[in-house]
Amino acid sequence: MNVREKPLPAAPDSKTLTLADDTLDQVSTATDCTTTPCPTAPDGELLIGPAGGRQWATRFTADLSGLPKGARITSATLSLTRSNCAADCTAQQPGVYELSSAWTSSESGGALLDAAGTDDYASGTPLPDLDLGPLVQSWTERGENQGFALTVPADAHGAAYHSLTAADTTTRPRLTIRYLPPTAPSTVTDVVTVPGDSGLLATWNPPLDPGTAGELRYTAQVEKTDGAVVAEQETTTPRVVFTKLDNTVPYRVSVRAKNTVGDGPLSRSAPAQGAAVPDGTSLYRDVVQEYLAARGKILTSGSLSAADAAADAPHGTVFSALLGAQEPNLVDSRQALADNGQSYAGASAQMTDVLVSKGATADQVVVRANVTESMTLHGDGGDEPTTGSALKRYTFDLTGGTAVMDGEADDFDAGQTLSPTAAAQSQVETTSATDSQAPDDTSDDPGSIELGENGFPDETPPTPTPDAKTTAKTLSARSVSGHGTANWAYNHTDIGWEYSQDCTNFVSKALYHGGGMKFRWGGRKTDGAWWQQYYLFGSIKNKSYTWSGADNLRRHFSGHRPSSRVTKTYNAQLGDIVFFKWKKEPRYNHAAVVTSKVQGHLGLSQHGIKNHTTLDDVLARYRGTSNPIQRVLIIRPRSAK
């Protein structure tokens, strides 16, 4: 594939907000003081580190009321001027600690350290080189701003700086924030339609400039070539299906993005016209529905084999071969759960946004749909629902005049068109050509859970107690991190996917928005970093590798973030993060959040095949395949208070 990159459009005008004097508060306090009143710094000075036989830290809080709502922060730098060194100063590299709770100057310096915790945003970086932009962005997004503290270890050199009361105003501390003011979004690009029988699918790329830091919405209209609007839908995802259209009329789709500021310009597709499929759309819809039901029967023992399940369906001969190819894995999953004292029940499947169309050849028909499958996992401790939604594509071969269902695939990227600009890098994922041959790269983290020969954790749980079920919706918080992470994950599985492999991005959002886990500054590819920040003129939210890569996040917790390993599943708690390693993969490549616990069996929320599932369900799904899950690692983050 050859990709030609067009120049980016002109950068939008950014603005600068400089906080000082009345909009930037600062206090220096002796952190080795635990009883008030504590010593204060000399008038006109700030102290960081050892000085006068005491250990000092300085806390800053910023008044962000001058930032317009929805502003995208592109950078933020803190400028301090040394007062005890005029030239050739050794640059101090203080640790930056975001406060988890409010602190005032009436409290002790020791209380400031308690509020700051031990989880630093950055350390080992000279202040002039440190970008506080992600930290400021997090304050605007989460609506919490307790400030940050600067300090250094007791064995590092201390430093004195001019304070906000310094006589020379040019030497006073300044926090300089560069941001893009909120505007209406720019034009969506690459609106593409896939015509079907009495309907069409439209996809597009988001605007290069979203205009604000908030969520984008889209208004999509299907219209005749004369501009007459036939139907309209609003959506948060760049994809929509229109039905009940006339196959004799050409249609085009117009799309505009909208945010809290206003609406962006319209973008239109080329005209497209539907065509009838042989034997009508109902046949193919019915076949897919019967196929999904038959698969559920095998998993729930309603039918013991694919042949039995197909025989019970009116159109079973159409999909019997495809179902038969899946039989070994389906039966193995069912048996694996039975061996573990569990079983599936109540399987159901629902299709929405269905489009039936002609395929690439005259002898092919394609059914596209958003498929939601639900089942209940029954065990000795009670019932646990599992559910998942996915965009699917089913193909039928009509060679010889008889329809045969011959394929099922994900339809996530259907119709996606790569942006002609550098923004295309956010649409694709790249993998090293050597990854599939790489050796096991997880030996640095030995705390995984052993799986027995049956593919399930090899452990004996303690005797269960009556009514021992907890869920993310009812558990009283063991900590902000666990309870908040679990609740956010449980209630936000329907949030839009940003990547085709979106599991770790989803987990990071749960840790950030729900658990309050703090950003960690550093190079994008380094394991010590964990952040997201706007770049490309604020058009794209760049993310550290640890934010969106499962093994990167696992390594982040292993060496750079306070956490513990849970070596028995029955000891897991809500908000714990579960990592999966498949046999043929060199590293962990999937992550999920523990959001319920039924008699020791873990319920998970994730961006995956099923949004709400269980650990046993995931293990059973892959046990009989050529690439089973080899290792499970459960990590309990301890960074957020």
Side-chain angles (χ1 to χ4, degrees), residues 23 83 110 130 140 148 194 204 218 244 289 310 345 366 372 376 465 479 484 528 543 561 599 604:
T23 54
S83 62
L130 182 61
T140 64
F148 60 92
V194 177
W204 57 90
Y218 302 98
K244 299 181 181 179
Q289 191 70 61
V366 178
T372 300
T376 298
T465 56
S479 69
K543 305 171 191 288
R561 182 82 67 164
Q599 300 286 18
L604 308 177

Side-chain angles (χ1 to χ4, degrees), residues 51-86:
R54 310 301 296 255
Q55 182 71 14
W56 297 83
T58 296
R59 186 226 54 191
F60 290 91
T61 54
D63 179 358
L64 301 180
S65 60
L67 277 175
K69 185 178 180 180
R72 291 159 291 166
I73 312 302
T74 57
S75 69
T77 55
L78 179 67
S79 301
L80 300 179
T81 303
R82 291 284 287 269
S83 62
N84 64 342
C85 176

Side-chain angles (χ1 to χ4, degrees), residues 18-41:
T18 301
L19 303 182
D21 299 330
D22 294 339
T23 54
L24 184 65
D25 184 52
Q26 41 95 83
V27 177
S28 289
T29 184
T31 56
D32 52 5
C33 170
T34 58
T35 304
T36 59
C38 290
T40 58

Side-chain angles (χ1 to χ4, degrees), residues 486 489-490 493 506-507 591-595 603-607 611-613:
Y490 187 90
T493 53
F506 174 78
V507 168
V593 180
V594 176
T595 52
L604 308 177
S605 295
Q606 61 178 5
H607 271 185
N611 292 341
H612 295 290
T613 185

Side-chain angles (χ1 to χ4, degrees), residues 291-500:
Y291 161 75
L292 295 172
R295 190 162 62 188
K297 283 185 176 182
I298 297 175
L299 287 171
T300 59
S301 299
S303 297
L304 296 181
S305 67
D308 291 339
D312 290 340
H315 302 96
T317 56
V318 179
F319 60 78
S320 59
L322 181 62
L323 187 65
Q326 301 175 45
E327 178 182 8
N329 188 39
L330 295 172
V331 172
D332 186 85
S333 296
R334 182 184 70 200
Q335 189 59 46
L337 289 174
D339 293 344
N340 203 42
Q342 297 174 293
S343 62
Y344 288 121
S348 65
Q350 180 181 9
M351 295 193 298
T352 57
D353 292 334
V354 182
L355 181 71
V356 184
S357 61
K358 290 185 175 180
T361 67
D363 295 325
Q364 187 182 66
V365 169
V366 178
V367 177
R368 290 182 169 90
N370 186 359
V371 178
T372 300
E373 295 184 272
S374 302
M375 280 187 290
T376 298
L377 188 61
H378 178 73
D380 53 6
D383 294 340
E384 184 75 8
T386 70
T387 183
S389 297
L391 297 171
K392 306 296 289 187
R393 179 173 58 228
Y394 305 91
T395 56
F396 292 79
D397 182 9
L398 307 185
T399 303
T402 301
V404 175
M405 188 176 176
D406 62 356
E408 175 186 6
D410 293 334
D411 200 43
F412 181 82
D413 295 321
Q416 184 185 47
T417 303
L418 287 182
S419 168
T421 71
Q425 66 177 285
S426 69
Q427 297 176 255
V428 297
E429 297 167 282
T430 58
T431 303
S432 168
T434 61
D435 274 0
S436 59
Q437 290 82 35
D440 190 325
D441 192 30
T442 61
S443 57
D444 60 326
D445 203 338
S448 61
I449 293 174
E450 295 295 328
L451 301 182
E453 293 183 1
N454 64 353
F456 293 92
D458 190 9
E459 58 191 22
T460 302
T463 303
T465 56
D467 198 30
K469 177 173 180 176
T470 57
T471 70
K473 296 185 292 184
T474 60
L475 183 75
S476 58
R478 63 167 173 84
S479 69
V480 173
S481 178
H483 185 240
T485 300
N487 265 300
W488 192 95
Y490 187 90
N491 292 306
H492 290 84
T493 53
D494 59 349
I495 195 171
W497 291 38
E498 295 183 63
Y499 308 100
S500 58

Side-chain angles (χ1 to χ4, degrees), residues 15 47 142 196 288 310 387 403 447 453 457 464 469 504 522 524:
K15 293 189 177 296
L47 298 177
R142 296 197 286 207
V288 173
T387 183
E453 293 183 1
K469 177 173 180 176
T504 312
R524 185 185 180 210

